[in-house]
């Protein structure tokens, strides 16, 4: 029975469909696992035992009646606590939303329910998705299952840790600057930031609306593809949702053939600050891609070196506006409402008490960057850099099918190491941010352990907008070749919890 937690999502779905195991047994096995390990890991902020078992029973009933099951029917999933869930708390890792129960489901939540995916609960995250370590959660940090004294990445550290700790075979993240891919990289799991607009943002609590993108997290490329197809597609409730067919990502994940593909190494993502073992595994993977029949060339994207500063003007600017809604009147926390204070005073006291340091830092930075007299110099310049980055991508994709780089410059760092050094923290997303600014698609998948610390290294693959299938084609092929080479999957090397 404990082996059920080791199944991939694809294996779980077929075992349920074939009647080898019931969806209730699968859900219970994962709930038991959460019970056994999550005090140590702290991946979940809320576990919905009743809801999960009820969803599982529904799948078993459908099967008993001979109804057709969807491809992920009965598969458990861990949902980042930034998507609204009707009747289930949604905190965004913030004190500000403690006790708030949304009256509606996000489109993504609704699609998961319609696909009969079993939502186990809500996962820990940096407050309002701001951070790279999950240390900015108001509910305590999450541990990296490879080494509980290290960070699981962020902001979606809870989702990635739930996968690596075998608490769920599927998870959902959001990626504004890297929060799906960087946690994937440092936990040895797969994470995909779909093309901007591919997955609805309706009910995704906004951080930076022009960058935020929900996406799939899993332990295998095929599982990520199955989840991608379940959540992607046009949504009239999101004005930036793309009205076009979802690329055939499941088919691409199964191709296992990259002969003739042209792959570009981003030259700028190497050098000072990149850990030796990360570069070693990355370079070995480049060799593997060549052996698999791809043509690998080096590509220069000079504007990428400006991506981080541009991001730290655009994202805080949008956040300062988006988070203005937390005014103590509409949702969650209200402080000092004792009849003696004005509404403005209650708002101020609530925001002072409800937001953590990083969120305040960004609101102040964003408000400053948008203030009259500074707008052109800061926000305006950052938007111009954004255009230059898009042009670099366009030029690169004129010559190659996908780009690759390490996902992160280093492996998982110790909890506490960068907590008081925002600049060091921000560097974790050096390689992931350009794709958010340009809106294209990108994946991280494990490509080995760094020899110096035995911690996972991520390979990033980047594809043009609406060519998400290329990520899965390359990712699925590399994953299969690496597993062949190792004789097992990377997560089988993780120490037991
Ligand atoms: N780490 C980045 C930040 O702090 C990205 C966060 C994200 O993608 N949500 O903004």
């Amino acid at each position: 029975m404990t082996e059920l937690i080791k199944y991939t999502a694809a294996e779980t779905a077929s075992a349920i469909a074939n009647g080898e195991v019931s969806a209730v047994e699968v859900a219970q096995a994962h709930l038991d696992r959460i019970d056994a390990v999550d005090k140590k890991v702290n991946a979940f902020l809320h576990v919905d035992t009743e809801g999960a078992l009820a969803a599982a029973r529904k799948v078993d009933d459908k099967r008993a009646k001979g109804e057709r099951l969807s491809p992920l029917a009965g598969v458990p999933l861990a949902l980042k606590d930034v998507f609204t869930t009707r009747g289930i708390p949604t905190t965004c890792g913030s004190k500000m939303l403690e006790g708030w129960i949304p009256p509606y489901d996000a489109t993504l939540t609704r699609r998961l329910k319609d696909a009969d995916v079993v939502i186990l609960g809500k996962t820990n995250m940096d407050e309002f998705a701001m951070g790279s370590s999950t240390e900015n959660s108001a509910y305590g940090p999450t541990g990296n299952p490879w080494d509980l004294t290290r960070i699981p990445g962020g902001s979606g550290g809870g989702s990635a840790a739930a996968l690596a700790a075998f608490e769920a075979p599927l998870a959902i993240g959001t990626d504004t600057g890297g929060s799906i891919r960087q946690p994937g990289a440092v936990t040895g799991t797969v994470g995909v930031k779909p093309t901007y607009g591919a997955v609805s943002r309706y009910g995704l609590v906004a951080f930076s609306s022009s960058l935020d993108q929900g996406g799939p997290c899993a332990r295998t490329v095929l599982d990520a593809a199955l989840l991608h197809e379940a959540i992607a597609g046009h949504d009239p409730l999101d004005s930036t949702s793309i009205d076009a067919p979802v690329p055939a990502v499941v088919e691409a994940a199964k191709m296992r053939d990259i002969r003739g593909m042209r792959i570009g190494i981003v030259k700028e993502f190497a050098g000072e600050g990149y850990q030796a073992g990360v570069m070693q595994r990355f370079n070995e993977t480049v060799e593997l891609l060549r052996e698999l029949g791809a043509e690998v060339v080096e590509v220069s994207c000079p504007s990428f070196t400006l991506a981080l500063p541009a991001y730290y003007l655009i994202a805080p600017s949008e956040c300062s506006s988006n988070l203005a809604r937390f005014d103590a009147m509409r949702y969650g926390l209200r402080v000092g409402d004792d009849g003696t204070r004005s509404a403005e005073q209650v708002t101020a006291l609530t925001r002072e008490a409800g937001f953590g340091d990083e969120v305040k830092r960004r609101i102040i930075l964003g408000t400053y960057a948008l203030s009259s007299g500074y707008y052109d110099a800061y926000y305006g310049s950052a938007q111009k850099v954004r255009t230059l980055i898009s042009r670099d991508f366009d030029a690169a994709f004129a010559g190659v099918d996908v780009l690759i780089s390490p996902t992160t410059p280093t492996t998982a760092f110790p909890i506490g190491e960068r907590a008081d050094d925002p600049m060091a923290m921000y560097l974790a997303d050096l390689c992931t941010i350009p794709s958010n600014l340009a809106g294209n698609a990108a994946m991280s998948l494990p490509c080995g352990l760094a020899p110096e610390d035995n911690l996972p290294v991520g390979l990033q693959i980047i594809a043009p907008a609406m060519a998400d299938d290329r990520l899965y084609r390359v990712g699925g092929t590399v994953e299969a070749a690496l597993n062949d080479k190792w004789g097992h999957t990377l997560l089988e090397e993780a120490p037991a919890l």
Side-chain angles (χ1 to χ4, degrees), residues 129-132 155 175-179 207 311-312 362 429:
M130 299 172 200
S132 302
S155 62
D175 195 309
T176 303
S179 286
F207 160 16
Y311 173 87
Y312 277 98
R362 303 224 187 170
D429 292 318

Side-chain angles (χ1 to χ4, degrees), residues 370-442:
L370 291 177
S371 56
S372 84
Y374 295 105
Y375 183 95
D376 287 337
Y378 295 120
Y379 184 74
S381 303
Q383 290 290 20
K384 286 178 189 152
V385 168
R386 192 171 188 175
T387 302
L388 294 178
I389 287 165
S390 292
R391 285 188 194 152
D392 275 2
F393 272 122
D394 290 346
F397 287 130
V400 297
D401 299 305
V402 295
L403 292 166
I404 55 168
S405 75
T407 308
T408 56
T410 71
T411 56
F413 45 88
I415 291 176
E417 189 183 85
R418 302 190 190 178
D420 298 321
D421 186 351
M423 275 311 291
M425 189 71 84
Y426 297 170
L427 287 171
D429 292 318
L430 205 56
C431 310
T432 50
I433 280 174
S435 292
N436 300 87
L437 291 171
N440 56 28

Side-chain angles (χ1 to χ4, degrees), residues 30-55:
H30 287 88
L31 292 166
D32 290 347
R33 175 68 174 175
I34 293 169
D35 228 27
V37 302
D38 209 54
K39 274 186 206 61
K40 289 188 261 182
V41 180
N42 197 29
F44 284 87
L45 293 177
H46 181 86
V47 179
D48 182 21
T49 305
E50 287 315 308
L53 290 171

